[in-house]
Amino acid sequence: MSPQVCSIFNLINKNHNNKTMKNFFKTTALALAAVAFLSINACKKDPLTKTYTIAALSGQTISAMVTFTEDGDKTKVKVELMGAMGGKTYDVHIHEGILTTYTPTPAYDLGKVSVAAGATNGSVEATVAKKYADILVYNGIFVCHDGTGAVVGAGGIGKNGM
């Protein structure tokens, strides 16, 4: 083979190898990025949750499910009322204490549950400025008031819950 042909062949082969190496590095980089992404997402854990079942008080029909969900330095709270009167609004709070003796001022106001006319269930979601782990050991009680302020539902949460 002539020296010119060899030079052209070597140039083509060198360019081909450079492209092959570039493709190899691109493919390797993409594969490593995919593995890193999957590893990070696999390490993410589902937030912790705890649900308290609040039974109806004697002579009342309202019961509740109160679910606490870990959310960084705060805790998300979902209140689901059952057995409520349609067309009514209920105030829901967390007070410090137990069912027989709790502080009159709510420690955490969870908002209002509006029950649609003809319905018996309603819910509300709120976020409280208390860590999830602290909620689980909190000396607390969930309280539901009707429009007159009367307690129509209550039950222990945190260390007072079941």
Side-chain angles (χ1 to χ4, degrees), residues 6-24:
C6 284
S7 294
I8 292 171
F9 178 75
N10 286 336
L11 182 61
I12 292 170
N13 194 32
K14 183 178 177 183
N15 284 339
H16 175 72
N17 285 338
N18 282 343
K19 287 180 185 177
T20 301
M21 289 305 290
K22 285 180 183 177
N23 286 339
F24 171 76

Side-chain angles (χ1 to χ4, degrees), residues 44-130:
K44 287 183 181 178
K45 59 180 182 170
D46 290 334
L48 299 173
T49 64
K50 170 75 176 165
T51 300
Y52 295 92
T53 301
I54 309 298
L57 295 175
S58 179
Q60 299 292 332
T61 60
I62 294 180
S63 61
M65 299 290 282
V66 183
T67 302
F68 295 92
T69 303
E70 179 182 41
D71 188 24
D73 288 346
K74 298 177 182 177
T75 303
K76 291 181 181 178
V77 185
K78 182 175 184 179
V79 176
E80 299 172 85
L81 294 184
M82 288 88 55
M85 292 188 63
K88 302 280 184 185
T89 299
Y90 299 87
D91 295 310
V92 290
H93 313 283
I94 295 173
H95 291 261
E96 186 172 351
I98 59 174
L99 186 58
T100 54
T101 55
Y102 58 88
T103 58
T105 303
Y108 302 98
D109 181 10
L110 304 176
K112 296 181 181 296
V113 177
S114 294
V115 180
T120 58
N121 299 343
S123 65
V124 67
E125 294 186 28
T127 300
V128 297
K130 193 165 192 70

Side-chain angles (χ1 to χ4, degrees), residues 27-40:
T27 303
T28 302
L30 286 172
L32 289 174
V35 167
F37 176 77
L38 292 173
S39 296
I40 290 170

Side-chain angles (χ1 to χ4, degrees), residues 114-161:
S114 294
V115 180
T120 58
N121 299 343
S123 65
V124 67
E125 294 186 28
T127 300
V128 297
K130 193 165 192 70
K131 288 184 178 181
Y132 175 80
D134 295 336
I135 287 284
L136 297 182
V137 295
Y138 184 67
N139 176 29
I141 183 170
F142 165 80
V143 178
C144 176
H145 301 274
D146 68 7
T148 68
V151 175
V152 294
I157 60 143
K159 72 178 189 177
N160 301 326

